[in-house]
């Protein structure tokens, strides 16, 4: 079975690749920088050096694929939505050209709205294009990644958990490893077909106040949640060189969730995974402090 995995160095893709190998599959990995892959992973995989924005490279690497795990990574385009559109077109072209029968796409909660969610709109567009290929497609609508906390290490070391969301706003938080588990199950299973939308919500919904309290306990230091305004977030992004369109794509993600939005798929057996934020933080975050 030839299962192609995009972004095998990512928080989810790395677990997908490892789990497929443990299941006896020799995956095909599309890596922008293959040299950063674990040597053991390289030995047990077929590896292509691929920029997912390069159509010819994507087409060459996905030939004879039996299944595809697709992730559209963040883009450096001045307009991120254009970057997502280009990668979406490449994914759809690969599926159509090679008649790849099954695709698992790492999407996001909010994509069901189709518009008004900033960068997530790019994932919504990808869902639409993949649906048009005629393949069996599973869209994984994922919650807020635990690993996003790794981008806030400097603030956390100062005792602050900064967010543009209201501090009592509760949403799904999920471990990347759990997303990978759902993805691998879909990639290996012959028991589904057609269009499937599956939420991956993690074990519980959490507010940033609750997350700060939990991190205080895990890290052994006081962490306080602090809300910043859209303007303050935009100023911070502008200070590190982000363009106006890039800033809007980031700010738009949080804005979309504050319009009375409710996820299309509820929390239930299919959407609830097991790894708690505390368990993840003890393993991944605590050693960094």
């Amino acid at each position: 079975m030839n299962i192609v995995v995009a972004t095998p160095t990512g928080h989810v893709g790395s677990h997908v690749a490892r789990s497929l190998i443990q299941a006896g599959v020799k995956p095909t990995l599309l890596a922008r920088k293959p040299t950063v892959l674990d040597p053991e992973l390289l030995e047990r995989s077929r590896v292509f050096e691929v920029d997912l924005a390069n159509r010819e490279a994507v087409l060459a690497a996905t030939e004879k694929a039996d299944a595809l795990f697709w992730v559209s990574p963040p883009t450096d385009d001045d307009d991120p939505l254009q970057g997502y559109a280009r990668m979406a077109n490449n994914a759809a072209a690969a599926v159509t050209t090679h008649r790849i029968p099954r695709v698992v796409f790492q999407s996001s909660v909010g994509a069901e709205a189709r518009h008004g969610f900033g960068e997530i709109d790019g994932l919504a567009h990808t869902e639409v294009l993949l649906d048009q290929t005629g393949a069996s497609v599973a869209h994984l609508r994922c919650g807020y990644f635990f690993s996003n906390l790794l981008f806030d290490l400097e603030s956390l070391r100062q005792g602050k958990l900064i967010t543009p969301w209201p501090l009592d706003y509760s949403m799904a938080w999920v471990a990347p490893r759990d997303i990978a588990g759902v993805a691998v199950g879909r990639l290996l299973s012959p028991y589904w077909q057609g269009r499937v939308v599956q939420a991956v919500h993690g074990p519980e919904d959490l507010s940033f106040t609750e997350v700060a309290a939990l991190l205080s306990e895990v890290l052994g230091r006081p962490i306080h949640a602090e809300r910043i305004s859209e303007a303050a977030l935009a100023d911070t992004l502008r200070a590190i060189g982000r363009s106006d369109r890039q800033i809007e794509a980031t700010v738009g993600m949080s804005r979309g969730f504050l319009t009375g939005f409710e996820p299309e798929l509820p929390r239930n057996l299919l959407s609830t995974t097991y790894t708690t934020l505390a368990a993840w933080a003890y393993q991944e975050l605590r050693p960094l402090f």
Side-chain angles (χ1 to χ4, degrees):
M1 182 182 295
N2 182 17
I3 299 180
V4 178
V5 178
T7 67
T9 60
H11 290 293
V12 177
S14 58
H15 290 297
V16 170
R18 179 179 291 270
S19 295
L20 287 172
I21 289 170
Q22 290 173 338
V25 173
K26 184 175 184 178
T28 297
L29 309 182
L30 311 188
R32 190 170 185 177
K33 296 180 179 179
T35 54
V36 305
L37 288 167
D38 184 284
E40 272 198 289
L41 201 64
L42 287 170
E43 290 175 9
R44 292 171 168 82
S45 309
R46 292 176 290 269
V47 182
F48 288 81
E49 184 172 351
V50 175
D51 182 339
L52 299 183
N54 184 319
R55 176 172 295 211
E56 289 73 22
V58 171
L59 288 174
T62 53
E63 188 175 3
K64 297 182 180 179
D66 297 302
L68 169 66
F69 175 67
W70 185 264
V71 180
S72 294
T75 169
D76 293 330
D77 287 62
D78 177 65
D79 182 354
L81 295 184
Q82 288 185 355
Y84 280 112
R86 186 166 59 253
M87 288 185 285
N89 286 328
N90 293 347
V95 174
T96 302
T97 301
H98 302 311
R99 298 183 179 180
I100 301 173
R102 288 182 295 129
V103 182
V104 177
F105 172 52
Q106 180 185 302
S107 189
S108 171
V109 172
E112 58 262 55
R114 295 306 190 224
H115 299 287
F117 278 71
E119 207 162 320
I120 294 174
D121 291 354
L123 305 183
H125 179 63
T126 307
E127 285 192 13
V128 172
L129 291 188
L130 289 174
D131 287 343
Q132 294 171 354
T133 63
S136 291
V137 182
H139 302 297
L140 303 186
R141 299 253 180 89
C142 304
Y144 193 79
F145 285 23
F146 293 168
S147 54
N148 287 339
L149 293 168
L150 297 173
F151 296 114
D152 298 326
L153 290 178
E154 183 177 348
S155 296
L156 290 173
R157 289 180 177 129
Q158 297 172 5
K160 296 183 292 186
L161 175 62
I162 297 174
T163 176
W165 279 282
L167 300 186
D168 61 352
Y169 180 75
S170 187
M171 61 184 180
W173 286 66
V174 63
R177 180 180 294 153
D178 287 358
I179 298 169
V182 175
V184 169
R186 287 286 177 182
L187 289 166
L188 293 176
S189 173
Y191 299 113
W192 64 279
Q193 60 182 357
R195 180 181 187 269
V196 175
V197 181
Q198 182 168 347
V200 191
H201 287 326
E204 60 182 332
D205 291 0
L206 295 167
S207 70
F208 278 83
T209 297
E210 291 169 329
V211 171
L214 186 151
L215 294 179
S216 297
E217 181 177 349
V218 171
L219 300 178
R221 60 176 67 197
I223 305 291
H224 302 284
E226 178 181 315
R227 187 184 184 188
I228 61 172
S229 66
E230 277 192 15
L233 175 58
D235 288 342
T236 299
L237 295 172
R238 192 170 289 109
I240 61 174
R242 298 287 181 88
S243 69
D244 288 343
R245 287 182 175 180
Q246 290 170 339
I247 291 169
E248 178 56 29
T250 299
V251 172
M253 284 192 287
S254 57
R255 185 190 301 141
F257 286 97
L258 301 178
T259 58
F261 168 80
E262 291 290 337
E264 178 182 39
L265 300 176
R267 177 176 293 285
N268 56 25
L269 176 66
L270 291 178
S271 63
T272 299
T273 53
Y274 290 105
T275 304
T276 65
L277 178 57
W280 177 89
Y282 268 108
Q283 182 177 16
E284 303 289 343
L285 202 58
R286 185 182 173 95
L288 303 177
F289 284 79

